[in-house]
Amino acid sequence: MHRILCRPFAVALAALFLTCNIASAQETTKYTVVIAGNNAGFQTTTTAADGTRKYAYEFNDRGRGPKLTSTIRLDAAGLPVSIETAGNDYLKAPVSEKFSVANAVARWDNGAEKEERKLPAPAFYVSLQSMPEELALLANALRRAEGNSLALLPAGRASVRKTGETTVKVGDRSRHVVAYEIDGLGFSPYSLWLEDDGKFFAAVSSWLSVIQEGWESSASALLKLQDEVDARRTRDLAHKLTRKPGRPVAITHANLFDSVSGKSTPNTTILIEGNRILSVGADAQIKPPKNAEIIDAAGKAVIPGLWDMHVHIGPNEGMQHLAAGVTSVRDLANDNDALQAIRRGIDAGDEIGPRIMMVGIIDGRGPFAGPTKMLIETQAEAKAAVDSYAKWGYEGIKVYSSVKPELVPGLIREAHAKGLRVNGHVPAHMTARQFVEAGADELQHINFVFLNFFDDVKDTRTPARFTTIAERAATLDLDSAPVRDFIKLLKEHHTVVDPTVSIFEGMLTDRPGKIAAGYATIADRLPPQVRRGLITGGLPVPEGQDQRFKDSAAALLHMVKRLYDAGIPIVAGTDAMPGFTLHRELELYVKAGIPAPDALRIATLGSAKVMKRDSQLGSVAPGKLADLLIIDGDPARNISDVRNTSLVIKDGNLYDPKALYGQMGVAP
């Protein structure tokens, strides 16, 4: 009996001993994902005794967001030799990614790429769907590598440099951390923070941060130090790449596009002094001053600077906008401190970028809350939020999806009383008609126009606001009485529409393994890892629905044309990659049937009028601010020529797009 009782005890003791040994051999670290100051998800890292790393990562961004698990093994140099990742991506498409190296042969398969390659030298595979901590793995491998540089797989090269260090404190705890920047992954460096032993501590930004659990309050201090490094770099670039003429500038022999009439006039001279246009007229009528700098624009078009009316500008993105000829933008949701800092830097000449018009986002609390700290549940909170934005110099309010419908009319009245425009998403459980009737000045995104007619979709905070459009937009009869009546309502209320059709083109027509249609013409110019991000595809397509998704994308363009034909004011916004996406947005307007001159008017004078800046901007005319572009070709005839900007003039300063793009790793 004694022996029988002892056997299970011995087994239990052995199991306990084994469990304790496994626990002591493993290290688990938890991280918090913070979006716009709100906890939104997590990453957990478990490292086994043999160095194998297991990750779990997910976050909720308004119903979107990845949910991934990954197992990674590294070699002695810190290079991945095995990666297996599964789950879903940001748009909920399934993810299955595998990578391995054996006998100097790398193999990977991720649904968009399937390749095998002999490695002539060590290289670091960058996952198509990666964990935040993979940035730290890359940084550590680069720190060990000769010259702190490594080839990347599938393409490109990265390097790392230390940019600072600090000690953060939470309560009675302190942690020394070191800042690094990695070049070669995007248009600008990627920043992260490591502990002294190389352990991942944080990657922070004004929008999304990932930081060790328990240290969330230190993110703002780390971001401040990062911003100081960014500010020095952007200031140096601004002083290097901005040319201030110091004398009059005469652009001669130009084919000038008049955004008022929509007509082009060849053999035109534009005379600029300081930041103003002095005179515009025929070459034979205007004699430039003797000390003027002459720019011969023979065979080229001159158009007003472009406007992007839907951006969320981030650090280092101003140069992307300006290189593409975008001299004015409207920011429709951002961190106030970060946005104000970017705007101040641009206005002071310490950062290259467009003029920024600020619109502040307001949302309701809940699991689908947008990226803002301005969350409201009562009319008093709505008034306080509007008052704050007005005090900070904002020009409008963006209502977001979780605002309670009953708060919307009062919120709009408060905003209008402060002289602020109101636009935004149509809040959940509210129709676009109700939003317009409540006094909204503008609708964001063409999908909300369609959702007005699919009234069975009540909760538009979820991905249903995308998937419903993909599945059903093609079925909507655009000649039906409800559609005609709604367009009439928009006309009567002078409601503006910001379609952002380019992002829906991507969602509905992009497929894994193929370059996104919206960027196909410029993909080869982009940094390799940016280009690679264009092959991930759009929304997951159910079996048998491929053509329906494409037909729905076409239906969105048909609706844009109906709005244009009815005289509904349209503004060109993107909500995507700066610069290049605006060009695509205009191409899609022309594809929809809008004449090229009118597409240009939408993106110049039309936008300036909506923002009440048309007395100073939007056309090339005497007395106006000198924001204009010289373009190889004639975009009033072929809208795609808008991509061929040879010179950007903003506020009288001259910028060479090739030089700007060169700093971002973009080929001419």
Side-chain angles (χ1 to χ4, degrees):
M1 175 70 80
H2 179 71
R3 289 182 180 178
I4 294 174
L5 288 174
C6 282
R7 286 183 64 191
F9 177 78
V11 171
L13 184 63
L16 178 62
F17 178 77
L18 180 61
T19 301
C20 291
N21 273 333
I22 291 173
S24 64
Q26 290 183 338
E27 178 187 2
T28 298
T29 306
K30 296 182 179 180
Y31 298 82
T32 302
V33 178
V34 181
I35 297 179
N38 304 308
N39 289 0
F42 65 87
Q43 177 194 278
T44 60
T45 304
T46 301
T47 305
D50 65 356
T52 300
R53 291 163 166 81
K54 292 184 179 293
Y55 301 98
Y57 173 53
E58 64 178 274
F59 66 80
N60 173 27
D61 176 23
R62 299 158 288 169
R64 292 165 283 181
K67 184 175 183 179
L68 300 168
T69 59
S70 186
T71 301
I72 299 178
R73 291 191 300 110
L74 307 175
D75 65 13
L79 301 176
V81 294
S82 174
I83 299 176
E84 292 191 12
T85 302
N88 62 259
D89 68 9
Y90 182 78
L91 290 177
K92 305 303 181 184
V95 170
S96 177
E97 182 165 11
K98 294 183 179 181
F99 168 82
S100 64
V101 175
N103 300 318
V105 176
R107 298 176 177 86
W108 62 94
D109 184 352
N110 51 41
E113 303 163 320
K114 186 173 184 179
E115 192 168 342
E116 178 177 308
R117 189 183 304 175
K118 181 76 173 177
L119 299 180
F124 192 103
Y125 176 78
V126 179
S127 297
L128 194 61
Q129 301 291 340
S130 64
M131 304 287 161
E133 193 164 337
E134 286 191 50
L135 198 63
L137 301 183
L138 174 58
N140 283 318
L142 291 168
R143 290 167 63 205
R144 296 188 184 104
E146 182 179 354
N148 300 132
S149 176
L150 280 169
L152 300 177
L153 289 174
R157 192 168 192 88
S159 60
V160 70
R161 62 182 173 274
K162 177 182 174 181
T163 58
E165 57 188 298
T166 191
T167 298
V168 292
K169 296 182 179 181
V170 174
D172 59 356
R173 297 181 299 155
S174 64
R175 188 74 55 86
H176 184 261
V177 291
V178 183
Y180 293 91
E181 285 186 341
I182 299 176
D183 286 310
L185 296 177
F187 296 111
S188 58
Y190 279 55
S191 300
L192 75 160
W193 294 83
L194 304 180
E195 296 182 25
D196 290 332
D197 62 359
K199 182 178 180 179
F200 178 52
F201 183 74
V204 299
S205 75
S206 61
W207 182 66
L208 187 149
S209 298
V210 181
I211 189 166
Q212 279 189 30
E213 188 178 70
W215 296 89
E216 294 87 351
S217 61
S218 63
S220 58
L222 300 181
L223 183 58
K224 183 175 183 293
L225 294 173
Q226 272 181 210
D227 288 345
E228 290 171 357
V229 174
D230 274 343
R232 289 194 293 271
R233 179 175 54 251
T234 56
R235 183 172 57 249
D236 290 345
L237 286 174
H239 295 171
K240 173 185 174 183
L241 298 173
T242 302
R243 187 160 73 84
K244 299 178 180 293
R247 55 178 175 151
V249 173
I251 302 171
T252 62
H253 307 120
N255 183 27
L256 176 63
F257 173 73
D258 179 4
S259 55
V260 177
S261 67
K263 297 179 180 179
S264 297
T265 304
N267 302 315
T268 300
T269 291
I270 303 104
L271 184 60
I272 300 168
E273 186 166 10
N275 70 341
R276 294 281 174 177
I277 299 169
L278 287 185
S279 56
V280 178
D283 289 334
Q285 295 176 343
I286 295 181
K287 186 176 182 180
K290 291 183 179 180
N291 67 332
E293 175 182 347
I294 306 297
I295 298 175
D296 188 352
K300 299 179 180 181
V302 170
I303 69 171
L306 299 171
W307 287 63
D308 188 333
M309 292 286 277
H310 195 138
V311 310
H312 306 283
I313 195 167
N316 306 302
E317 289 185 348
M319 195 155 59
Q320 289 176 250
H321 285 292
L322 211 64
V326 179
T327 57
S328 297
V329 300
R330 180 178 62 175
D331 190 289
L332 285 179
N334 218 315
D335 176 83
N336 178 56
D337 293 337
L339 180 59
Q340 298 276 13
I342 292 172
R343 194 185 194 202
R344 284 194 301 270
I346 292 172
D347 291 347
D350 290 332
E351 184 167 349
I352 294 173
R355 304 175 190 275
I356 300 175
M357 322 298 155
M358 302 186 299
V359 174
I361 182 174
I362 297 175
D363 203 5
R365 296 181 179 87
F368 299 102
T372 179
K373 298 170 187 174
M374 290 293 190
L375 301 175
I376 65 169
E377 290 295 318
T378 67
Q379 203 66 56
E381 288 179 330
K383 182 180 186 305
V386 170
D387 288 346
S388 292
Y389 281 127
K391 180 180 67 177
W392 294 333
Y394 282 66
E395 301 180 37
I397 298 297
K398 179 181 181 180
V399 177
Y400 211 66
S401 303
S402 292
V403 172
K404 294 177 181 177
E406 60 266 28
L407 296 179
V408 171
L411 189 158
I412 292 175
R413 285 194 299 271
E414 293 288 350
H416 285 168
K418 293 285 185 179
L420 305 181
R421 286 172 47 79
V422 177
N423 45 267
H425 290 203
V426 177
H429 308 289
M430 193 176 198
T431 66
R433 171 176 284 276
Q434 292 168 337
F435 191 46
V436 171
E437 290 175 339
D441 301 294
E442 183 175 331
L443 296 175
Q444 256 69 59
H445 305 304
I446 194 67
N447 62 322
F448 284 107
V449 173
F450 277 81
L451 289 169
N452 183 70
F453 308 103
F454 304 140
D455 54 10
D456 56 312
V457 183
K458 305 294 185 184
D459 193 347
T460 54
R461 298 172 299 175
T462 73
R465 69 176 182 264
F466 308 125
T467 56
T468 299
I469 299 306
E471 296 163 359
R472 297 169 61 181
T475 68
L476 181 64
D477 181 1
L478 302 190
D479 291 318
S480 65
V483 172
R484 293 198 307 270
D485 289 346
F486 181 67
I487 292 176
K488 181 181 178 183
L489 177 76
L490 296 178
K491 180 80 169 178
E492 291 170 348
H493 284 255
H494 309 288
T495 309
V496 176
V497 176
D498 165 25
T500 65
V501 285
S502 51
I503 59 173
F504 293 101
E505 177 189 40
M507 284 187 185
L508 274 57
T509 70
D510 289 348
R511 301 292 181 262
K514 297 181 179 180
I515 292 290
Y519 303 103
T521 60
I522 52 93
D524 288 343
R525 297 173 53 196
L526 302 178
Q529 291 298 326
V530 175
R531 181 171 65 247
R532 187 180 181 221
L534 303 177
I535 63 170
T536 56
L539 291 171
V541 182
E543 186 176 354
Q545 291 292 301
D546 183 78
Q547 189 58 49
R548 169 57 63 84
F549 276 41
K550 293 175 181 177
D551 291 344
S552 289
L556 302 187
L557 295 184
H558 296 327
M559 179 66 84
V560 169
K561 181 59 161 53
R562 293 297 176 96
L563 297 174
Y564 164 81
D565 288 341
I568 306 303
I570 293 170
V571 292
T574 58
D575 199 11
M577 184 190 297
F580 292 121
T581 311
L582 183 68
H583 300 158
R584 183 57 178 171
E585 186 79 9
L586 299 182
E587 288 174 338
L588 289 174
Y589 293 171
V590 173
K591 183 178 180 180
I594 298 175
D598 283 355
L600 289 178
R601 292 167 76 177
I602 286 170
T604 54
L605 186 59
S607 297
K609 284 183 175 179
V610 168
M611 298 309 296
K612 295 182 171 56
R613 294 292 202 286
D614 51 307
S615 65
Q616 299 292 318
L617 296 165
S619 61
V620 179
K624 288 198 170 185
L625 292 167
D627 285 16
L628 51 97
L629 316 176
I630 300 179
I631 293 176
D632 292 327
D634 185 0
R637 291 178 177 269
N638 175 25
I639 193 63
S640 294
D641 284 349
V642 76
R643 298 180 179 276
N644 304 329
T645 302
S646 63
L647 184 69
V648 176
I649 301 177
K650 182 230 166 181
D651 208 36
N653 297 318
L654 278 58
Y655 299 90
D656 177 1
K658 289 182 180 179
L660 299 183
Y661 279 133
Q663 290 293 329
M664 297 179 278
V666 178

